[in-house]
């Protein structure tokens, strides 16, 4: 079993993406297959990658923002150097004013 997944499995249960009985049933299968419980749930489409992202964010106290669903103000976009969007697929962003 992938013990490193335990915090994530607990968070997925806490957020209601899966139930404790579902997880318990999958642990045996995951152990025999030599894979993590989260990987097994993803492979069987019990959870979505977005659910894992949400659970990780909740664990670390972060917010998940789908940028395709929000409009970014032009003045914010103007603060990003032109080379960044071409070289990276994501970057951290805070809505708090920078000093």
């Amino acid at each position: 079993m992938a013990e490193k997944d335990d915090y994530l499995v607990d968070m997925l249960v806490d957020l209601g993406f899966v139930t404790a009985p579902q997880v318990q049933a999958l642990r045996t299968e995951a152990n025999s297959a030599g894979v993590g419980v989260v990987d097994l749930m993803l492979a069987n489409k019990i959870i979505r990658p977005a659910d894992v992202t949400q659970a990780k964010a909740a664990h670390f106290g972060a917010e998940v923002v789908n940028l395709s669903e929000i409009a970014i103000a032009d003045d914010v976009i103007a603060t990003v150097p032109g080379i960044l969007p071409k070289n990276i697929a994501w970057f951290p962003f805070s809505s708090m004013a920078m000093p």
Side-chain angles (χ1 to χ4, degrees):
M1 180 177 84
E3 286 82 12
K4 65 182 181 176
D5 284 355
D6 285 349
Y7 83 92
L8 194 51
V9 172
D10 292 342
M11 191 59 67
L12 288 164
V13 171
D14 290 346
L15 293 172
F17 292 118
V18 291
T19 65
Q22 279 179 301
V23 171
Q24 190 58 35
L26 290 167
R27 281 195 194 277
T28 304
E29 186 178 345
N31 286 338
S32 65
V35 298
V37 176
V38 174
D39 292 335
L40 183 63
M41 288 190 287
L42 285 166
N44 289 330
K45 299 187 187 299
I46 296 168
I47 58 172
R48 303 168 299 144
D51 300 336
V52 175
T53 300
Q54 189 68 42
K56 285 182 179 181
H59 177 76
F60 292 107
E63 181 182 354
V64 175
V65 178
N66 185 341
L67 294 179
S68 67
E69 296 176 356
I70 64 169
I72 301 173
D74 290 338
D75 61 325
V76 173
I77 293 172
T79 65
V80 179
I83 192 88
L84 282 179
K86 295 176 183 173
N87 291 332
I88 60 174
W90 65 274
F91 62 91
F93 174 77
S94 173
S95 62
M96 296 171 45
M98 305 223 9

